């Protein structure tokens, strides 16, 4: 049967003392670093030697040198102290001005590309030490039910792989908090000088070859549903996995593609792509930030949500006219 160590009778500050002596290789310097007397450090080392059953540090004319056992213990003790420090720092009140936390946001690239620039600008101003990770989200392929299409995003939130998900659906389970960010619709994008821009009719739209953004390669989307209601169809000549890739392909081909209006207004011109209104009514989406309700108890996550709620700027008249809309 194992003899379990009684931690209630063990002073964990001895590990801090071990760390200081190991790094300084000198009892006097370790004492200065810890604001202790040299005799207090020596006394602590004596207790630690008895606890660990090893001399740990051997005296030399220039200080001390660690024993082989001390060197073996260096990494495990550093891990223990790092874990304790992380726990204690997480318990401190959240201050964006001094925080060095990393948050992860899940979103399709057509949404993250809209939110990221204003978000980073705000962070640079009020929270320069905070880091952001973006996790790419797209609806599950071949899934028509809205509440099932984004099940991967819900699972990521439950598993804490993301702090906040930003997705274009209102079909969200009750356990999540929902915050509406902005409304989005779709425009038709094509290379600059494309003939469709001059005559964007429904008939011409159906005649042209289309590009569809689809993570799994499924060519059927909400545009096809809208066309079917009109007794129309189109040819999807190419699918690509994200919206930024779509812009690069559109710039070099005669393909056309339905893209989110805000995303296209912000990024299309840089690729030499122009946009026009669609010649049929396409679905409008409410872009929602969602997170587990319990996560709102985390002051840092609640603060990030508030920043996202301010992030998407309204589409200006200049942006609309320059896009040809």
């Amino acid at each position: 049967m194992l003899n379990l160590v009684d931690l209630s009778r063990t002073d964990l500050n001895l590990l801090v003392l071990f760390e200081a002596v190991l790094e300084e290789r000198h009892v006097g310097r370790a004492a200065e670093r810890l604001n202790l007397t040299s005799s207090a450090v020596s006394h602590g080392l004596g207790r630690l030697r008895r606890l660990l059953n090893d001399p740990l540090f051997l005296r030399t004319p220039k200080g001390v040198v660690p024993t082989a056992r001390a060197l073996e213990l260096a990494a495990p003790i550093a891990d223990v102290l790092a874990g304790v420090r992380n726990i204690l720092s997480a318990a401190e009140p959240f201050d964006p001005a001094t925080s060095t936390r990393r948050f992860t946001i899940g979103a399709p690239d057509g949404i993250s590309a809209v939110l990221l620039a204003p978000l980073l600008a705000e962070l640079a101003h009020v929270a320069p030490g905070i880091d952001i990770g973006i996790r790419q989200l797209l609806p599950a392929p071949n899934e028509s039910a809205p509440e099932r299409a984004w099940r991967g995003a819900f699972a990521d939130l439950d598993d804490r792989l993301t702090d906040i998900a930003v997705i274009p659906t209102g079909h969200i389970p009750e356990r999540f908090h929902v915050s509406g960010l902005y409304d989005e619709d779709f425009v038709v994008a094509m290379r600059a000088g494309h003939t469709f821009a001059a005559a964007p009719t429904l008939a011409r739209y159906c005649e042209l070859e289309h590009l569809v953004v689809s993570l799994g390669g499924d060519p059927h989307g909400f545009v096809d549903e809208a066309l079917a209601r009109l007794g129309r169809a189109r040819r999807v000549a190419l699918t690509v996995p994200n919206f930024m890739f779509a812009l690069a392909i559109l710039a070099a081909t005669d393909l056309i593609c339905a893209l989110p209006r805000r995303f296209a207004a912000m990024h299309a011109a840089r690729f030499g792509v122009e946009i026009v209104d669609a010649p049929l009514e396409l679905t409008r989406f409410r872009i929602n930030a969602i997170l587990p309700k319990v996560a709102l108890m985390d002051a840092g996550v609640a603060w990030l949500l508030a920043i996202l709620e301010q992030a998407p700027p309204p589409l200006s008249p200049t942006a609309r006219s320059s896009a040809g809309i």
Side-chain angles (χ1 to χ4, degrees):
M1 182 174 178
L2 293 176
N3 293 321
L4 299 180
V5 175
D6 184 0
L7 288 179
S8 66
R9 300 178 63 184
T10 303
D11 184 358
L12 295 183
N13 282 320
L14 293 177
L15 301 185
V16 178
L17 184 147
F18 174 91
E19 177 187 62
V21 175
L22 180 68
E23 293 178 359
E24 297 294 342
R25 297 293 206 270
H26 194 281
V27 170
R29 289 196 296 269
E32 291 178 6
R33 172 170 159 179
L34 298 173
N35 293 317
L36 298 173
T37 64
S38 293
S39 61
V41 171
S42 296
H43 179 69
L45 283 177
R47 294 171 59 199
L48 196 55
R49 285 165 177 147
R50 290 190 293 274
L51 182 66
L52 298 176
N53 195 30
D54 188 87
L56 297 177
F57 299 98
L58 303 176
R59 291 187 180 277
T60 73
K62 295 184 178 181
V64 295
V65 294
T67 65
R69 177 60 174 157
L71 293 175
E72 289 176 2
L73 292 170
I77 287 176
D79 289 342
V80 169
L81 291 175
V84 172
R85 285 166 178 147
N86 285 338
I87 290 171
L88 295 178
S89 64
E92 295 177 354
F94 177 77
D95 181 0
T98 59
S99 176
T100 57
R101 285 183 63 176
R102 170 178 288 273
F103 296 101
T104 300
I105 299 170
D109 76 308
I111 294 174
S112 59
V114 170
L115 295 175
L116 203 51
L119 173 62
L120 292 178
E122 181 66 12
L123 292 184
H125 178 62
V126 301
I130 285 179
D131 297 324
I132 298 293
I134 299 296
R135 188 175 176 89
Q136 168 79 325
L137 298 178
L138 279 177
N142 304 315
E143 185 61 76
S144 58
E147 64 275 13
R148 296 282 298 164
W150 295 99
R151 63 185 184 274
F154 305 143
D156 283 354
L157 288 167
D158 287 332
D159 294 339
R160 300 306 301 269
L161 295 176
T162 55
D163 295 295
I164 297 175
V166 186
I167 53 178
T169 183
H171 297 269
I172 298 166
E174 180 63 27
R175 66 185 181 276
F176 295 105
H177 170 84
V178 182
S179 182
L181 299 187
Y182 61 94
D183 292 315
E184 185 65 283
D185 63 345
F186 279 71
V187 293
V188 182
M190 71 226 77
R191 64 168 176 79
H194 197 294
T195 57
F196 182 73
T201 66
L202 179 60
R204 182 66 176 142
Y205 182 78
C206 295
E207 291 170 359
L208 292 169
E209 295 181 349
H210 291 245
L211 182 156
V212 166
V213 176
S214 169
L215 180 63
D218 180 8
H220 188 85
F222 69 90
V223 172
D224 301 283
E225 308 254 347
L227 288 171
R229 289 193 290 270
L230 299 175
R232 301 273 192 156
R234 62 174 177 169
R235 177 191 170 192
V236 175
L238 177 68
T239 66
V240 296
N242 60 67
F243 289 105
M244 280 295 186
F245 191 11
L247 284 177
I249 297 298
L250 291 174
T253 68
D254 284 331
L255 298 172
I256 63 174
C257 179
L259 294 179
R261 184 184 296 270
R262 286 175 183 266
F263 167 79
M266 289 179 68
H267 300 288
R270 293 191 291 113
F271 287 83
V273 170
E274 60 180 305
I275 58 178
V276 297
D277 276 330
L280 72 164
E281 185 175 347
L282 298 179
T283 304
R284 293 181 63 86
F285 297 91
R286 181 66 169 166
I287 306 301
N288 289 312
I290 66 170
L291 66 160
K293 289 179 179 177
V294 67
L296 287 172
M297 297 175 64
D298 183 326
V301 174
W303 171 85
L304 179 62
L305 176 64
I307 295 295
L308 286 175
E309 290 171 341
Q310 303 167 16
L315 279 172
S316 65
T318 301
R320 291 178 182 271
S321 61
S322 65
I325 295 173

